[in-house]
Amino acid sequence: MTADEQVRAQLALIVSHELFAGADRRTRLLRFLVEQSLAGQTGSLKESVIAVEVFDRSTDHDPKLDSLVRVEMGRLRSRLIEYYGQAGKDDPVRIEI
């Protein structure tokens, strides 16, 4: 299994866990971030891009007026810490934001 396949397998484990059940926004965000990272596109991971691509905001989205991306990133970080502190503590791949 390649490194990318291992990361995608880990992503599948995480998003199928009960901590992510019903957390569609965080799941979409995590999937987007992982896929962009695997594609080598981390330089384009800006708040305005994430707002449009993940959260369906308009292209004139102003992150100063809408903190959705920052809020969801914080929630995603918290869920990942919780996941790796419990169910994922022995997982061979760690996804961090």
Side-chain angles (χ1 to χ4, degrees), residues 25-54:
R25 284 182 171 173
R26 275 167 292 241
T27 299
R28 284 182 67 191
L29 178 57
L30 182 58
R31 285 183 190 280
F32 179 78
L33 295 173
V34 167
E35 289 302 327
Q36 291 297 300
S37 294
L38 291 176
Q41 300 297 321
T42 56
S44 65
L45 290 177
K46 301 193 181 338
E47 186 174 357
S48 57
V49 172
I50 293 169
V52 172
E53 296 293 324
V54 178

Side-chain angles (χ1 to χ4, degrees), residues 38-70:
L38 291 176
Q41 300 297 321
T42 56
S44 65
L45 290 177
K46 301 193 181 338
E47 186 174 357
S48 57
V49 172
I50 293 169
V52 172
E53 296 293 324
V54 178
F55 299 119
D56 303 319
R57 294 299 200 249
S58 67
T59 54
D60 63 350
H61 170 262
D62 185 350
K64 293 176 187 166
L65 300 175
D66 183 355
S67 63
L68 176 65
V69 174
R70 291 186 302 278

Side-chain angles (χ1 to χ4, degrees), residues 1-13:
M1 186 180 291
T2 69
D4 286 4
E5 290 170 337
Q6 290 175 339
V7 171
R8 285 187 178 100
Q10 183 65 37
L11 174 62
L13 275 176

Side-chain angles (χ1 to χ4, degrees), residues 10-27:
Q10 183 65 37
L11 174 62
L13 275 176
I14 292 170
V15 299
S16 67
H17 190 270
E18 65 187 21
L19 284 172
F20 284 81
D24 294 336
R25 284 182 171 173
R26 275 167 292 241
T27 299

